[in-house]
């Protein structure tokens, strides 16, 4: 499986590009599968760039790097591809990577965060458990430290692009998501729930009918918000 590479601070950022149309960045934190299963469907109407931040997936894994510097990494890839504006989408940890990238530039027209409450995650307790976990890799821990350094209620309220957050109703985080829903809607999010879907079946790794239903609903929402052009 081949990748394209951009470089930042001496480290290579791996990505794969497919399709044509408005740019849609999918943040990716794992090498396998090489492509998100839903990427082929999205590439029928978007220029899809699946980007692996340094320390994750197929990108370089240096001992020392600013692993929270997701925004500059995404822009380095987009500049290499000659792309100006883009929408960005992540699910679970990559949703939080997407938020860091979106807040760092006025080139991001939309932010989609799936599988995670956009505010208040990870909690203090969750972060303490990560800090104590000896098997947790340095890039992962440093990323979460960076993410928690921001006031996300403030950052997301200021972010001017379209904002979409979603979970499946069988996801363990759904109660936390529902408690936050009035706050999220108050700062401009469209909140979507997908009946019966788990954390896995609502993600970008599912190209079944359920995965396609999620993708269509999110894309339709971005179109209705004017963040991407209709066909």
């Amino acid at each position: 499986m081949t990748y394209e590479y951009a470089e930042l601070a001496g480290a290579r950022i791996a990505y794969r590009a497919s399709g044509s149309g408005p740019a849609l960045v999918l943040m990716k934190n794992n090498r396998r599968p090489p492509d998100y299963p839903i990427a082929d469907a999205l590439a029928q109407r978007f220029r899809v760039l699946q980007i692996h931040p340094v320390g994750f997936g197929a990108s370089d894994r240096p001992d020392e790097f600013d692993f929270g510097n997701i925004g500059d990494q995404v822009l380095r890839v987009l500049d290499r591809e000659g792309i100006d504006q883009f929408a960005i989408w992540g699910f679970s940890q990559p949703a939080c990577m997407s938020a860091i990238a979106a807040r760092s530039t006025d080139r991001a027209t939309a932010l989609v965060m799936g599988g995670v409450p956009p505010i208040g995650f990870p909690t203090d307790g969750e972060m303490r458990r990560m800090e104590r976990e000896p098997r947790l890799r340095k890039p992962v821990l440093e990323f979460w430290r960076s993410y928690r350094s921001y006031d996300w209620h403030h950052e997301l309220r200021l972010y001017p692009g379209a904002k979409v957050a979603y979970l499946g109703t069988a996801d363990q985080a759904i109660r936390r998501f529902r408690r936050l829903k009035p706050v999220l809607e108050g700062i401009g999010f469209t909140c979507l729930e997908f009946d019966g879907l788990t954390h896995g079946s609502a993600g970008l790794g599912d190209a079944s009918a359920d995965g396609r239903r999620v993708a269509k609903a999110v894309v339709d929402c971005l179109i209705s918000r004017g963040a991407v052009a209709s066909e």
Side-chain angles (χ1 to χ4, degrees):
M1 186 59 61
T2 59
Y3 294 90
E4 299 289 334
Y5 294 94
E7 188 171 315
L8 180 67
R12 296 188 309 167
I13 307 154
Y15 70 97
R16 285 173 56 79
S18 59
S20 61
L24 176 62
V25 170
L26 304 180
M27 296 305 299
K28 203 166 185 298
N29 61 348
N30 291 315
R31 186 188 296 267
R32 301 291 179 188
D35 293 305
Y36 280 125
I38 203 64
D40 282 346
L42 292 170
Q44 294 174 19
R45 62 161 299 138
F46 295 102
R47 178 66 169 165
V48 175
L49 297 105
Q50 300 175 82
I51 300 178
H52 304 219
V54 172
F56 297 85
S59 289
D60 284 351
R61 301 190 176 197
D63 292 332
E64 298 297 330
F65 192 82
D66 181 0
F67 296 107
N69 187 16
I70 308 295
D72 284 349
Q73 295 182 54
V74 169
L75 294 182
R76 188 58 59 93
V77 171
L78 296 177
D79 289 345
R80 186 176 189 272
E81 289 288 316
I83 293 170
D84 182 18
Q85 292 190 320
F86 65 100
I88 189 164
W89 184 345
F91 188 87
S92 199
Q93 184 190 49
C96 300
M97 294 174 172
S98 299
I100 288 181
R103 69 155 298 280
S104 69
T105 176
D106 59 5
R107 293 163 59 179
T109 61
L111 167 63
V112 181
M113 301 183 71
V116 64
I119 298 170
F121 178 82
T123 64
D124 291 343
E126 289 165 335
M127 194 67 211
R128 284 195 295 270
R129 285 193 292 274
M130 283 191 275
E131 296 276 3
R132 293 194 300 266
E133 174 52 65
R135 295 170 296 179
L136 195 66
R137 295 191 308 111
K138 181 178 180 179
V140 177
L141 183 57
E142 287 197 13
F143 166 75
W144 285 120
R145 285 171 175 163
S146 176
Y147 186 76
R148 277 178 51 88
S149 71
Y150 295 101
D151 177 347
W152 283 109
H153 183 274
H154 175 73
E155 296 290 344
L156 294 170
R157 178 174 58 82
L158 291 182
Y159 172 67
K163 296 176 279 246
V164 180
Y166 71 92
L167 271 83
T169 61
D171 192 314
Q172 291 183 350
I174 191 65
R175 285 188 289 180
R176 190 188 303 183
F177 181 72
R178 286 172 173 167
R179 287 196 300 269
L180 276 173
K181 187 175 179 180
V183 175
L184 295 174
E185 290 178 338
I187 61 174
F189 269 90
T190 299
C191 296
L192 305 176
E193 294 184 13
F194 294 94
D195 189 46
L197 298 192
T198 64
H199 190 77
S201 60
L204 293 165
D206 192 326
S208 68
D210 285 334
R212 290 174 180 269
R213 174 164 62 98
V214 171
K216 183 180 185 304
V218 170
V219 170
D220 286 349
C221 186
L222 295 180
I223 290 171
S224 71
R225 296 288 301 271
V228 297
S230 59
E231 292 181 310

